[in-house]
Amino acid sequence: MRTRWGRTLFAKGRFPAIAVAAPSGIVIGAVLGLLAASLGVGGSASPILVGVVFALCLTFPSTMLVYILVVDRSTMAGAAERPEESVESAWYDKAAAGALTDIILVAGLAAAVLSFLPTRYSVDPGLLMAGVLGFASLSVAVRYLLQRLRG
């Protein structure tokens, strides 16, 4: 039987997936909030406040992660039978392949430019990698939109 939110992969699909994901996500969020508070992530801020804020911020992503792990797509109303064969999947494949070429080109140019910088200028590797990831995401997004417009 297909439902809007789907059923679980385990227990012969007797449970709605969201009924398993919601309590699990709340528990995971609370545990991560406690961990953040106990590690002193907030610095001089109140550990209780830090724990509550972390728990609130991490509960929804944790719930969605558990939901993705436990839902059986074949029990969801309107879900594609074979999503890997969809038009959107083909658009994404083409966009990702083109973005790889963009990344190699930009990384090569950036390496050439950075090799000629004087030693008194330092480049933060973390910031550099964040820039590469940002560029890769932007490249895939733009190429995907172009594929979508072309049909």
Side-chain angles (χ1 to χ4, degrees), residues 21-34:
S24 301
I26 291 169
V27 168
I28 292 170
V31 168
L32 292 174
L34 284 172

Side-chain angles (χ1 to χ4, degrees), residues 15 21 26 28 32 52-53 58 63 87 103-104 112 125 136 142 148:
F15 303 107
I26 291 169
I28 292 170
L32 292 174
V52 169
V53 168
L58 294 174
T63 302
V87 173
I103 294 165
I104 291 171
V142 168
R148 186 173 142 190

Side-chain angles (χ1 to χ4, degrees), residues 55-77:
L56 289 174
C57 290
L58 294 174
T59 296
F60 183 74
S62 300
T63 302
M64 290 300 100
L65 177 63
V66 173
Y67 177 77
I68 289 169
L69 294 174
V70 301
V71 71
D72 182 4
R73 285 186 45 87
S74 66
T75 63
M76 294 175 66

Side-chain angles (χ1 to χ4, degrees), residues 95-105 139-140 143:
L100 178 62
T101 305
D102 295 344
I103 294 165
I104 291 171
L105 177 69
S139 178
V140 170
R143 285 178 170 272

Side-chain angles (χ1 to χ4, degrees), residues 9 18 28 41 59 63 66 85 89 96 105-107 109:
L9 284 167
I18 199 70
I28 292 170
V41 171
T59 296
T63 302
V66 173
E85 295 176 9
S89 178
L105 177 69
V106 170
L109 291 172

Side-chain angles (χ1 to χ4, degrees), residues 87-88 91-92 141-151:
V87 173
E88 291 83 4
W91 292 342
Y92 175 78
V142 168
R143 285 178 170 272
Y144 181 86
L145 289 174
L146 289 174
Q147 288 293 326
R148 186 173 142 190
L149 289 173
R150 290 180 190 154

